[in-house]
């Protein structure tokens, strides 16, 4: 018996040698930067999440590659063991384990922060280590801009892989629509360059397919001419009358706005025991001054404050970072709804808003709570512009106006996470159930695809299940082709096709 035990111990020791942990292997055999839990770089990187729940997860080390070749080496080492791992760009996904990991290595793309612009053509190569505000600053003064998101602190990696909704989406489609070529490290460590003509199925799958196909180390994109822009916030105190006016205004803007340079986000916010109960609107115009009347439906309601002005795009991106609440547990969920007709807009939009107020009311005693809902126009033109550029998994219907609704709960105590998990589910499920009911009653069109927008999705939502069946099948086929061993499918978080 003792000899058997000794033999088993010897075998286990041999396996541990063969299957060394990634952190130790890279430290011993490469020059790739690997930071241990006690190092300042590790500690600093762990603070760079939008949700403190992600920061609370402790990777065994953080790896900072600075090239595709180094990422390839890391992937090759991961293939020799069975560790769970994660890849992080900006850390703006609050879903635990999507860009965070507990006990396994975290690959930070922080040092893949290059941005190289051809000023003659506007072809822009940039890495996933850039944040939107930093990339905008690098382009400041060139006369070119990229189709990025709306909050400067957002990392470009997760934004692009989820599709990316931009102030400029009515002009140019999703952020991912302007990608011409990816530099991608496949799950077997091979470096490849998917484009419309090279691995076109993989090229499409990367546009809205998340982290299932490898690690993108460069985005070759088309940038667009841009000078100064106009933008900022409108602030309103909440009243029932203001609710009605703002909800009607965002509905009408979605259908009737004909200027693709104009964009809005309409958010309602409430906080601890209703100390805050307000509307905050984000206005944007891709030019120094919007034409008269562009935003009149909103400004005529009478805001308490108006910060909109002519500014650089880089300044606007930096200005937007006030929305990031450091030190809070954060949950984000979403729903997409057909735009209601004028006949049913009051019942639909006020019904959804009343549902959100009813659920959020039950959270106001949670320490530090900040609850918000955002109504984001998703006009036909966004889908049409995306299709004009290149195919993507989202494959939005260009014949129907829609709204993307984003729900956020932020709170201080991690012990409240299970409670708020349930509240988030109640919020988006209630919206979905109401939409299905209104469709059955003929009050909303029922022939409209309503995908879940990945960049706002809650981890319990079925992202791939809400895509068109043929696009989900494509994502699954591509994932199985490039990752037959299931490195990303089985050992990373995120939605799986």
């Amino acid at each position: 018996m003792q000899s058997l035990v000794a033999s088993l111990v010897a075998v286990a020791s041999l396996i541990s040698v063969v299957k060394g942990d990634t952190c130790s292997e890279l430290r011993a055999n490469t020059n790739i930067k690997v930071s241990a839990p006690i190092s300042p770089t590790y500690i600093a990187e762990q603070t760079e999440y939008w949700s403190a729940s992600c920061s609370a997860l402790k990777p065994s080390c953080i790896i900072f590659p600075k090239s595709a070749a180094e990422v390839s080496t890391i992937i090759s080492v991961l293939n020799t063991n069975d560790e769970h791992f994660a890849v992080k760009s900006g850390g703006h996904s609050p879903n635990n384990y999507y860009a965070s990991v507990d006990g396994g290595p975290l690959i930070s793309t922080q040092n893949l922060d290059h941005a190289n612009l051809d000023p003659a053509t506007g072809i822009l190569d940039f890495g996933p280590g850039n944040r939107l505000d930093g990339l905008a600053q690098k382009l400041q003064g060139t006369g070119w801009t990229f189709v990025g998101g709306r909050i400067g602190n957002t990392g470009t990696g997760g934004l692009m892989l989820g599709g990316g909704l931009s102030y400029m989406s009515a002009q140019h489609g999703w952020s991912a629509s302007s990608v011409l070529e990816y530099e991608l490290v496949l799950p077997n460590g091979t470096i490849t360059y998917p484009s419309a003509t090279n691995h076109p199925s993989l090229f499409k799958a990367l546009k809205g397919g998340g982290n299932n196909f490898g690690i993108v180390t460069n985005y070759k994109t088309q940038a667009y001419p841009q000078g100064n822009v106009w933008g900022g916030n409108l602030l309103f105190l909440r009243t029932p009358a203001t609710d009605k006016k703002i909800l009607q205004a965002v509905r009408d803007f979605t259908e009737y706005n004909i200027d693709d340079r104009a964009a809005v986000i309409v958010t309602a916010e409430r906080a601890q025991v209703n100390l805050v109960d307000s509307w905050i609107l984000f206005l944007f115009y891709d030019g120094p001054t919007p034409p008269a009347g562009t935003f009149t439906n909103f400004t005529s309601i009478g805001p308490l404050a108006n910060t909109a002005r002519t500014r650089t795009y880089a300044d606007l991106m930096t200005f937007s970072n006030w929305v990031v609440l450091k030190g809070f547990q954060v949950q984000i969920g979403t729903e997409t709804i057909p735009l209601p007709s004028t006949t049913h807009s009051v019942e639909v939009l006020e019904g959804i808003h009343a549902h959100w107020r009813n659920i959020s009311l039950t959270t106001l005693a949670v320490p530090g709570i900040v609850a918000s809902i955002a109504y984001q126009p998703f006009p036909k033109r966004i889908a049409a512009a995306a299709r004009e550029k290149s195919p993507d998994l989202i494959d939005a219907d260009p014949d129907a106006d829609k709204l993307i609704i984003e729900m956020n709960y932020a709170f201080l105590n991690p012990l409240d996470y299970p409670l708020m998990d349930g509240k988030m589910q109640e919020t988006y499920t209630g919206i979905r159930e109401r939409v299905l009911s209104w469709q059955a009653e003929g009050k909303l069109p029922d022939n409209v695809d309503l995908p879940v927008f990945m960049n706002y999705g809650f981890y319990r939502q079925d992202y791939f299940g809400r895509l068109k069946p043929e696009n989900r099948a494509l994502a699954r086929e591509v994932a199985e082709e490039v990752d037959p061993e299931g490195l990303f499918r089985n050992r990373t978080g995120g939605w799986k096709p």
Side-chain angles (χ1 to χ4, degrees):
M1 184 61 143
Q2 288 181 334
S3 61
L4 175 60
V5 171
S7 298
L8 290 174
V9 170
V11 170
S13 299
L14 179 60
I15 291 173
S16 69
V17 170
V18 174
K19 288 193 173 185
D21 70 276
T22 304
C23 305
S24 299
E25 289 288 325
L26 292 173
R27 282 195 196 96
N29 300 309
T30 76
N31 293 319
I32 299 171
K33 183 177 179 180
V34 180
S35 293
I38 59 172
S39 70
T41 53
Y42 177 107
I43 294 168
E45 184 68 13
Q46 279 297 96
T47 67
E48 294 296 331
Y49 283 104
W50 280 23
S51 178
S53 65
C54 296
S55 295
L57 302 175
K58 300 304 180 187
S60 53
C61 68
I62 303 180
I63 307 164
F64 295 89
K66 58 182 185 296
S67 67
E70 290 194 347
V71 173
S72 175
T73 298
I74 296 164
I75 292 294
S76 297
V77 173
L78 282 165
N79 273 296
T80 68
N81 59 49
D82 57 4
E83 291 178 299
H84 284 258
F85 66 97
V87 183
K88 177 188 176 190
S89 173
H92 66 275
S93 172
N95 291 320
N96 297 335
Y97 303 103
Y98 278 41
S100 51
V101 64
D102 200 30
L106 174 66
I107 303 168
S108 169
T109 62
Q110 179 188 109
N111 291 337
L112 295 167
D113 62 345
H114 57 277
N116 302 310
L117 173 71
D118 182 337
T121 63
I123 302 300
L124 171 66
D125 288 274
F126 65 86
N130 286 285
R131 295 178 187 272
L132 299 182
D133 50 7
L135 185 54
Q137 192 61 51
K138 291 172 183 176
L139 293 177
Q140 179 59 37
T142 66
W144 295 94
T145 193
F146 62 102
V147 183
R150 283 79 58 86
I151 307 301
N153 190 253
T154 303
T156 54
L159 176 85
M160 303 295 284
L161 294 176
L165 186 59
S166 172
Y167 284 131
M168 293 169 277
S169 283
Q171 297 179 77
H172 307 299
W174 309 111
S175 299
S177 301
S178 292
V179 177
L180 306 173
E181 179 185 86
Y182 297 88
E183 181 179 66
L184 175 70
V185 182
L186 293 170
N188 66 2
T190 301
I191 301 171
T192 190
Y193 298 87
S195 68
T197 56
N198 183 37
H199 304 299
S201 293
L202 177 56
F203 183 64
K204 176 178 178 178
L206 285 164
K207 300 188 177 195
N211 65 339
N212 290 290
F213 314 106
I215 300 176
V216 176
T217 51
N218 184 70
Y219 297 91
K220 182 181 291 293
T221 65
Q222 180 62 60
Y224 302 96
Q226 186 181 72
N228 282 342
V229 302
W230 180 93
N233 300 119
L234 304 182
L235 171 65
F236 303 83
L237 286 183
R238 184 266 167 181
T239 67
T242 303
D243 290 352
K244 289 178 178 291
K245 292 175 183 178
I246 290 178
L247 290 170
Q248 188 64 44
V250 72
R251 194 225 78 87
D252 290 347
F253 183 90
T254 304
E255 181 175 6
Y256 300 129
N257 174 58
I258 59 173
D259 190 338
D260 292 342
R261 291 177 173 269
V264 300
I265 308 173
V266 172
T267 71
E269 318 269 343
R270 63 196 311 195
Q272 204 79 53
V273 294
N274 269 343
L275 290 176
V276 173
D277 199 359
S278 63
W279 288 89
I280 301 175
L281 279 55
F282 297 72
L283 306 186
F284 173 84
Y285 191 77
D286 190 8
T289 308
T294 302
F295 299 108
T296 298
N297 280 5
F298 301 104
T299 56
S300 64
I301 299 171
L304 285 178
N306 182 347
T307 65
R309 60 176 176 82
T310 303
R311 61 213 313 164
T312 66
Y313 187 62
D315 177 66
L316 183 65
M317 287 292 96
T318 300
F319 175 75
S320 67
N321 285 333
W322 64 265
V323 306
V324 181
L325 299 175
K326 288 290 187 180
F328 281 70
Q329 319 292 316
V330 177
Q331 296 174 351
I332 300 177
T334 187
E335 265 302 334
T336 306
I337 72 167
L339 188 72
S341 66
T342 53
T343 302
H344 299 294
S345 63
V346 170
E347 179 181 358
V348 171
L349 293 181
E350 292 186 16
I352 287 173
H353 199 67
H355 164 69
W356 171 75
R357 287 193 65 84
N358 289 338
I359 300 298
S360 60
L361 177 64
T362 67
T363 72
L364 294 184
V366 173
I369 189 68
V370 178
S372 68
I373 186 168
Y375 300 90
Q376 306 191 37
F378 186 1
K380 293 180 255 189
R381 181 58 194 151
I382 292 179
R387 289 190 174 199
E388 289 166 9
K389 292 287 191 295
S390 66
D392 57 67
L393 287 185
I394 303 166
D395 198 14
D397 183 353
D399 299 318
D401 293 318
K402 297 173 280 290
L403 289 170
I404 293 176
I405 298 177
E406 177 190 357
M407 299 141 269
N408 290 258
Y409 291 112
F411 49 97
L412 289 172
N413 191 341
L415 297 179
D416 287 323
Y417 200 96
L419 168 69
M420 296 308 301
D421 187 304
K423 296 298 180 182
M424 176 58 77
Q425 292 181 71
E426 283 185 70
T427 308
Y428 67 71
T429 299
I431 293 175
R432 177 67 172 164
E433 289 171 348
R434 283 164 172 76
V435 168
L436 293 174
S437 177
W438 285 317
Q439 287 180 317
E441 295 169 3
K443 296 175 180 177
L444 285 175
D446 61 1
N447 60 343
V448 180
D449 289 306
L450 301 173
V452 168
F453 185 50
M454 179 181 281
N455 295 124
Y456 300 153
F458 192 52
Y459 74 100
R460 293 186 184 276
Q461 294 186 277
D462 186 6
Y463 170 75
F464 282 101
R466 293 279 291 275
L467 296 179
K468 294 176 182 176
E470 62 270 25
N471 289 324
R472 181 179 191 175
L474 174 72
R476 185 183 299 114
E477 290 167 8
V478 172
E480 290 174 351
E481 178 183 348
V482 302
D483 191 14
E485 301 302 318
L487 180 70
F488 283 80
R489 181 175 61 252
N490 300 325
R491 292 167 55 185
T492 65
W495 292 282
K496 306 303 174 187

